[in-house]
Amino acid sequence: MARGPFRVMLRMQIKPGMQEEFERVWLEVGDSVTSHPANLGQWLSRDDEDEGVYWIVSDWVNEPRFREFEHSDRHLEHRTRLHPYRSGGSMTTMRVVAHLTGAASAGSHGEWAGVR
């Protein structure tokens, strides 16, 4: 049985008034994650109910390759750029066991692909 991707979900609490700048910097430094050969993609979401909370989800080919990235200089630089905006956060890891594609999914999420 094939194993699904390894998923990392970060909850980040951003300091008040710094949300817009955080989003801009996250986009600027994002390729330090997505250019890693084991990264399958990542998403930034803003919580609609909890002011200043963001969720970052990234998928990896497997856990060992994610841990390789996690302990790299590349990751340290990425974290250093985002740290000034954070007031708290947490990380959860999991394994994707199933994925169902929705009818509205047209390859790259249609109209919101590349939304900034």
Side-chain angles (χ1 to χ4, degrees):
M1 180 168 141
R3 296 174 66 133
F6 184 73
R7 179 163 287 170
V8 177
M9 186 167 61
L10 303 171
R11 180 189 183 278
M12 293 182 70
Q13 179 71 44
I14 303 305
K15 295 174 184 174
M18 299 187 86
Q19 292 92 340
E20 196 171 303
E21 188 175 347
F22 165 74
E23 290 180 24
R24 182 185 55 75
V25 172
W26 186 88
L27 285 167
E28 286 176 7
V29 301
D31 69 337
S32 66
V33 175
T34 57
S35 66
H36 189 282
N39 182 264
L40 298 170
Q42 73 170 338
W43 299 261
L44 176 66
S45 301
R46 183 177 38 235
D47 197 305
D48 281 342
E49 297 177 10
D50 200 348
E51 179 77 25
V53 170
Y54 286 81
W55 298 92
I56 300 169
V57 175
S58 62
D59 287 349
W60 299 82
V61 295
N62 58 40
E63 183 176 1
R65 297 296 307 275
F66 164 72
R67 299 297 178 190
E68 171 189 297
F69 169 77
E70 183 182 36
H71 296 100
S72 69
D73 290 341
R74 177 193 299 214
H75 182 243
L76 179 60
E77 183 178 333
H78 181 264
R79 283 182 39 211
T80 300
R81 290 279 312 273
L82 295 176
H83 185 74
Y85 305 99
R86 289 181 59 166
S87 63
S90 61
M91 181 174 98
T92 302
T93 62
M94 61 200 79
R95 195 144 339 268
V96 176
V97 296
H99 172 255
L100 301 174
T101 302
S105 181
S108 63
H109 301 294
E111 73 279 355
W112 59 270
V115 167
R116 291 184 174 237

